[in-house]
């Protein structure tokens, strides 16, 4: 059979019992059927080149994509932007406050994936897919939960798809993750091909190291003259991109005309990127730029969220653009995010709280909390 159920037993991982360091080892995916009657269910598709073995998705790499479909329960009691993964306890996960899956199924072939994607697009009344590409130190569960949170909190109309490349899911696995991000390029391109073959458009959202995967794929699509795919990309949003500034400039120059809007969330208080910069012997990454002029020759919108703290489980301020309740509130109220995928937020300068600067081709928005206006 092409479809196979993923059960509580096959996906309940013991990672939660391991010690936390910094952002910590993320508890992996839990399937709790009764959660379907508690939280708000988000249908999330997963495309991954992680090996599935011993009843769980591993950090090991495979040279092909597999496809799954999950119902993720967004709990009713939580702060906007917060993602608290369900934990295996004697009494079970707290379904009122923690993210879990209520069901999961292997889809089998790419044809099954396309058919399921099309059916969900019809149900939602959309012709667009939102792909979320996770960053460093991510498990299949943490990536699916974050995809559900972004789709739910930002009220995005597109079908949510999580591209789960093989991160080690370990705070000490940075070198492995950087290599895996390079390994993940071709399969992300294959995923884009499948979505376009399904007759759907694309919005790319990525975090941290996942942003580098996006830039590399856009670059190789341009080199391969794949306008059939590039023309179907309706926008790119990079949260805290962990990319060397010179590398980004080279990628963007080779891509040429960037998909629009092209939005980059930055923060000079991003401690994870400060560490990453030190590892590479440099001062800054794209996600914590202090001087927007270094990318001013590209048609990008920088949204600086330095004034905001990251939300729950974001002590390093590495995902403030999506985890900070205040940032989410601003983007909901000002752009309602849906329209920001269709037109550059820089076209709404009178609505965004903060300072807006235009520098050559780039726009920088220095976002400030609402109560400071």
């Amino acid at each position: 059979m092409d479809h196979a159920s993923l059960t509580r037993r096959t996906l309940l991982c013991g990672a939660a019992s391991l010690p936390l360091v910094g952002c910590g080892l993320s508890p992996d995916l839990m399937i709790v059927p009764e959660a379907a009657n508690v939280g708000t269910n988000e249908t999330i598709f997963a495309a991954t080149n992680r090996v599935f073995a011993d009843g769980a998705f591993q950090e090991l790499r495979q040279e092909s994509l597999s496809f799954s479909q999950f119902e993720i329960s967004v709990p009713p009691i939580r702060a906007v932007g917060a993602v608290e993964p369900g934990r295996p306890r004697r009494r079970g996960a707290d379904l009122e406050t923690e993210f879990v899956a209520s069901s999961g199924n292997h889809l089998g072939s790419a044809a099954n994936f396309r058919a399921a994607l099309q059916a969900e697009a019809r149900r939602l009344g959309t012709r667009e897919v939102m792909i979320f590409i996770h960053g460093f130190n991510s498990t299949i569960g943490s990536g699916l939960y974050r995809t559900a949170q972004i789709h739910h909190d930002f009220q995005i109309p597109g079908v949510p798809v999580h591209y789960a490349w093989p991160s080690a899911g370990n705070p000490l696995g940075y070198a492995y993750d950087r290599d895996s991000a390079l390994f993940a390029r071709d399969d992300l391109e294959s995923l884009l091909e499948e979505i376009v073959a399904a007759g759907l458009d694309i919005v790319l959202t990525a975090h941290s190291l996942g942003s580098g995967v996006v830039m590399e794929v856009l670059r190789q699509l341009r080199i391969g003259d794949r306008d059939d795919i590039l023309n179907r990309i309706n926008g790119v949003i990079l949260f805290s991109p962990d990319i060397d500034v010179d590398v980004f400039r080279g990628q963007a120059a080779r891509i040429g005309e960037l998909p629009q809007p092209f939005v980059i969330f930055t923060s000079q208080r991003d401690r994870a990127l400060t560490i990453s910069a030190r590892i590479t012997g440099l001062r800054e990454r794209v996600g914590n730029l202090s001087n927007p002029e270094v990318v001013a020759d590209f048609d990008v919108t920088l949204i600086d969220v330095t004034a905001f703290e990251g939300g729950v489980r974001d002590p390093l301020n590495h995902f403030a653009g999506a985890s900070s309740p205040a940032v989410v509130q601003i983007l909901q109220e000002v752009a309602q995010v849906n329209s920001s995928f269709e037109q550059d937020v820089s076209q709404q300068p009178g609505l965004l709280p903060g300072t807006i600067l235009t520098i050559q081709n780039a726009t920088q928005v220095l976002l400030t909390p609402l109560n400071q206006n």
Side-chain angles (χ1 to χ4, degrees), residues 306-320:
T306 301
F308 299 84
E309 291 280 354
V312 174
R313 295 179 64 82
D314 187 15
L316 300 181
N317 294 323
H318 190 39
F319 212 160

Side-chain angles (χ1 to χ4, degrees), residues 39-77:
T40 301
N41 279 277
E42 294 277 344
T43 300
I44 309 294
F45 293 90
T48 184
N49 47 11
R50 290 176 178 266
V51 169
F52 186 82
D54 300 324
F57 289 98
Q58 309 289 328
E59 77 279 6
L60 302 175
R61 305 159 182 152
Q62 67 180 22
E63 295 181 359
S64 62
L65 281 174
S66 63
F67 304 97
S68 304
Q69 180 176 343
F70 296 89
E71 295 295 322
I72 302 297
S73 175
V74 179
I77 303 174

Side-chain angles (χ1 to χ4, degrees), residues 198-209:
L200 300 171
D201 295 331
I202 299 162
V203 170
L204 290 167
T205 63
H207 177 232
S208 186
L209 284 179

Side-chain angles (χ1 to χ4, degrees), residues 262-264 266 289 292 295 300-304 362-366:
F262 197 102
V263 180
I264 303 172
T266 67
L289 277 177
V295 295
V300 299
T301 297
L302 305 172
I303 300 184
D304 189 322
T363 299
Q364 184 184 38
V365 180
L366 302 172

Side-chain angles (χ1 to χ4, degrees), residues 185-229:
R185 295 173 296 186
D186 290 346
D187 282 328
L188 178 56
E189 181 175 352
S190 296
L191 174 60
L192 301 184
E193 289 174 343
E194 295 296 342
I195 292 170
V196 170
L200 300 171
D201 295 331
I202 299 162
V203 170
L204 290 167
T205 63
H207 177 232
S208 186
L209 284 179
S211 301
V213 182
V214 168
M215 292 299 295
E216 282 292 293
V217 169
L218 293 176
R219 180 180 183 274
Q220 66 190 44
L221 287 171
R222 185 66 72 193
I223 292 172
D225 293 323
R226 295 303 306 271
D227 288 346
D228 57 320
I229 297 178

